[in-house]
Amino acid sequence: MENNSITLDLYEMQSAAHLGILRCLESEKYQEKWGYNYKGSLNDQMAKSISGSLGEAAVAKFLNIKFTFTCNHGGEADLIFKDLHLQVRTQLPKPNNKNSLIIRPKAKANEFYILVIDEAPNFKILGFVNSTYVLGQDRFKTDFGLARPPCYSIPPDKLTPINLLKDSSWN
């Protein structure tokens, strides 16, 4: 396995999957909508939420930090690593390696966004970027031709390798 990959065991996957479902059920219970004109079904939300939780668990395991199982805490960091606020973005593999790290314009400055590819039980951490270096940069802005607000899309080759964050040599 590559040095930016991590495998979750069955217990880690079950725990993270349970959290993903809980996040969706709490959103339904409190009538909280997914943002940015998202129109997917509850089933699709659950699938995406489970994948996202698995990605967060994979990053926590890779960085050797505690996965805190946070549920619907708004725009707060998914994980904290050495006082850095981490936002984990997880995607299934896209055809022709078209995955990219998505950051919304309302993102907080100086948060570290991490792109994870979900091939459960294996997860590939493609890299990270500090949001400060992306926000306001027109070269990364897109709406993908969809009727949704624009976002920033950073290709994997523009991301900093995750190992540099792990060993604190990125700065």
Side-chain angles (χ1 to χ4, degrees):
M1 200 170 268
E2 297 178 48
N3 64 359
N4 63 334
S5 296
I6 197 82
T7 300
L8 296 179
D9 64 32
L10 293 176
Y11 173 78
E12 293 162 333
M13 290 193 330
Q14 185 278 329
S15 298
H18 176 78
L19 176 62
I21 293 168
L22 181 61
R23 287 174 175 173
C24 290
L25 295 177
E26 285 227 336
S27 292
E28 284 290 311
K29 178 180 178 180
Y30 296 110
Q31 299 176 351
E32 298 168 342
K33 300 270 187 220
W34 277 31
Y36 308 101
N37 297 326
Y38 181 81
K39 298 193 183 350
S41 66
L42 178 59
N43 187 48
D44 186 54
Q45 287 178 4
M46 284 191 179
K48 285 180 172 27
S49 189
I50 289 169
S51 181
S53 296
L54 290 168
E56 292 169 25
V59 170
K61 185 174 182 177
F62 183 85
L63 295 174
N64 198 29
I65 59 175
K66 182 179 179 181
F67 181 48
T68 55
F69 295 91
T70 55
C71 187
N72 297 4
H73 61 291
E76 297 302 313
D78 295 323
L79 301 168
I80 306 284
F81 176 69
K82 298 182 180 179
D83 294 325
L84 301 174
H85 290 219
L86 310 180
Q87 297 286 356
V88 179
R89 298 294 179 259
T90 307
Q91 300 172 3
L92 297 175
K94 294 184 179 175
N96 302 315
N97 296 316
K98 293 292 184 184
N99 292 87
S100 67
L101 178 61
I102 303 300
I103 300 177
R104 300 287 173 197
K106 291 184 179 181
K108 295 175 186 172
N110 207 33
E111 288 198 318
F112 291 72
Y113 281 75
I114 300 170
L115 178 58
V116 177
I117 303 303
D118 174 356
E119 294 179 306
N122 302 313
F123 296 82
K124 188 171 183 179
I125 305 169
L126 297 187
F128 72 95
V129 68
N130 185 328
S131 60
T132 300
Y133 301 115
V134 173
L135 297 173
Q137 297 294 317
D138 286 341
R139 69 184 176 132
F140 294 121
K141 203 171 221 181
T142 183
D143 65 5
F144 294 105
L146 301 172
R148 296 184 68 178
C151 64
Y152 298 98
S153 174
I154 303 92
D157 66 342
K158 301 293 183 194
L159 301 176
T160 303
I162 193 65
N163 289 316
L164 298 180
L165 181 67
K166 185 175 184 176
D167 67 16
S168 299
S169 62
W170 62 273
N171 196 358

